[in-house]
Amino acid sequence: MIERFSKRRDEDGFTLIELLVVIVILGVLSAVVVFAVRGAGDKGQSSALKIDARTVRTAEEAFCAQNGRFGTMEELHSSPNAKFLSEKSTMTDVALAPGGPCKGSGVDDSKSGFILGYKEPNAGSPPASTGYPELKLAVTGTGSGVYPTPFEWGFGGPAQQQMNLMFDPLLWKDATGMEIPWLTTSVPTIANGGVSADGKSYTFTLRSNVKWQDSGVVTAHNPSGGDQFLTADDVKFTVDYQNTGGAANTVTPCWCKTALTNISSVVVNSPTSITFNLTKAVNTFFQDIGWGMVILPKHIWQNITTSTSPSITSMHTSVEGYMGTGAYKLLNPLSYVPSGGSCGGCSQYDANTSFFLGTPYVRRLTYKLPGSGITGLQTKTIDAGSVGSNDGITTSDLNALSGLSRVTAPGGGNTVVHFNLTKGFPYNEVRFRQAAAYAIDRNYLLQAIAGGRGKVSSMGSLAPSHPMLAPGLPTYDLGTRAANVAKAKDLLDQLGIVDTNADGKRECPVANPCALVSNTGAVTTSVTPTNFNPNLYGAGSPSTATATAIQQNLADVGLDFALATGTNFQAQNGYYGMQLVGWGNTMQDPDILRVRLDSSYTAVVPSFWNIYGWNNTANATSFMAKAQDELTTTDPIFRKKRVQEMQELVAADVPQISLFTADVWFFYQAGSFSSWYNTPNGTPPGPPGFFNKHVFVTGKQFGLPAGY
């Protein structure tokens, strides 16, 4: 029967029933999982889109069954083996993506998954000729006392996402999670000659029509008011500036800072061609440099230093401090106030009509500050946004938002307890860390605090649904609460942390006093067997309810922890013994394991998600060696093996306790702008990428339309 179907290549295609028969025979229908088409504007249009998308999806499943991969729209219509669609769809786009279920080669390659999206921006309404007038977005704020400039966007995602509206990297990402050309004409590959065979050289060809935003404007650094075009000199200058220029000693360096050490030279081949030569091949070059480093205008920043006038600080309140190549311009930059904005509690960005990809589809973006989320969505003063922290959305909140459309980011939120192993006993004892893991009821936290939105985390630190998740890791769960409590108590007894006065609270041994860590990082120790009463600090986004539940869990095994308010500053500088933190996106590239657990990185780009002191443990030595393998190998199967071995070491040594991985929910008004998506692996610096500037520029979910 398959042979009969394959011979029909010259006929008009198959009916939907015939395609379903093929799929059932091959046994793939029940196993196929692909990304869903996003919401549509009205009911009639939505029904038509769903029917069309369903037909395309069925054709993709049949194509996968026959070819071991998914196919482009052109291949579905005119495959040499069979004609899976009688006509190419006029309503639905297809983009190929990695990480899907069609694995003919056994490896997650770029054609193992697919995404369906709209042919026209925003499902064709309003028409592309007029664009979308304004989107009002609920965010967690631009940060306390920071400006959305390249050197003071803070260590949170929302502020950097806004900075990226004005400043561009070489590449970007869309809904497929794959790199797309941005400032460049193409994505470098070995096939097109942009990447050397050994992976140690990358050559980018820049677009020739990219203007800096001060083109046609008389400024201190453009006194003639003439056009200023991006060149390869700007790219080389940006790397040099981050390494040794004025940016070298800034409080907020580029997230790419640690990756710059892998660059041996940057060579300008021509005004539109530049080559990066690396000391070694690295799997994360595109992530760290390609779309992780925004390009600076040399003519503006070349004389800006950290201390002299004009200084980097003075650029925060200068018009030129916000002039990149980007799709948007900050409205009224001279009156911008951190956490207040230029419009009374918000920040606004207007479309750059001279943008090199054309006038952005969304004409104005208004970011509302905290407090506007749920109420704003209910009253329709907000068009879209995530609400609450990873664990801070209550059932009543969700009920209030039940009438809105929603996009989900699996593994988008992570709540975790960090140990600072540099602070001494008992934090540097694996049995203490394991005892805490047994004591904390992670399943209870997931259900009671996060309402079941997500999964209990993997102790290896990656998301439970991550494609490189290691199987069979220890869970520190013996099946019942009583058994877990008993195991935790036994481990603490082995360490000599026992209840000597029968008050239900454990004391530390005189011979090995416990460290008590202040919020300045200072350490004091008890010299008598007094209660071990350390602080459990909280930073990032975890709720008070989470901290309280952990406190109660630890009290069940006799550990008397006091709750203390922490800050991201304390967390990123290691001013704690135990720290409860929350951060986004455990689905990103697995190299995040290396960056988070290698303490040497905290000296370069300190972050609240880093682990302190694990470098000095026996397991860490093996971990670091495996981390170098996963970073530099060109074999994806070997890389996955090393990543899984790294997780095994982390899970055994417990430098952190991953509690639960929450699904982050993004809400938007039904019937309004509807091309929203979550960017796989996030956008810089890695949080769930709902506010991806690609969708604002194009109105589409993936790719660049004709003419872009």
Side-chain angles (χ1 to χ4, degrees), residues 517-542:
V517 186
S518 75
N519 61 6
T520 63
V523 175
T524 58
T525 57
S526 59
V527 293
T528 58
T530 56
N531 287 345
F532 178 40
N533 182 230
N535 286 322
L536 173 63
Y537 289 104
S541 59

Side-chain angles (χ1 to χ4, degrees), residues 256-275:
C256 63
K257 184 68 175 177
T258 56
L260 295 177
T261 59
N262 296 322
I263 299 175
S264 59
S265 66
V266 180
V267 180
V268 174
N269 307 312
S270 74
T272 57
S273 176
I274 191 161
T275 298

Side-chain angles (χ1 to χ4, degrees), residues 462-509:
L462 295 184
S465 53
H466 198 286
M468 292 195 184
L469 183 74
L473 295 179
T475 62
Y476 298 95
D477 183 355
L478 299 176
T480 67
R481 178 65 181 158
N484 292 337
V485 167
K487 180 65 175 178
K489 289 180 176 179
D490 177 59
L491 290 168
L492 293 171
D493 289 344
Q494 293 176 33
L495 294 172
I497 304 176
V498 297
D499 181 8
T500 59
N501 56 10
D503 66 351
K505 300 176 182 179
R506 291 176 180 266
E507 292 82 44
C508 292

Side-chain angles (χ1 to χ4, degrees), residues 414-417 436-450 452 454-462 464 473-478 481 484 546 549-550 553 651 654 656-661:
N414 187 45
T415 304
V416 60
V417 172
Y438 279 110
I440 296 174
D441 191 340
R442 299 189 294 148
N443 188 65
Y444 170 81
L445 292 175
L446 173 66
Q447 300 302 325
I449 307 298
K455 298 180 180 179
V456 170
S457 298
S458 163
M459 288 296 290
S461 189
L462 295 184
L473 295 179
T475 62
Y476 298 95
D477 183 355
L478 299 176
R481 178 65 181 158
N484 292 337
T546 301
I550 292 173
N553 285 168
V654 199
Q656 63 167 42
I657 302 173
S658 296
L659 302 176
F660 54 88
T661 303

Side-chain angles (χ1 to χ4, degrees), residues 2 46 48 51 88 110 117 127 129 152 174 205 288 311 328 342 368 390 435 482 517 591 617:
I2 294 175
S46 177
I51 293 172
K88 287 187 284 189
S110 61
S129 59
E152 200 185 330
D174 61 9
T205 300
D288 296 331
S311 66
Y328 292 89
S342 58
K368 292 286 188 179
N390 297 341
V517 186
D591 190 59
T617 67

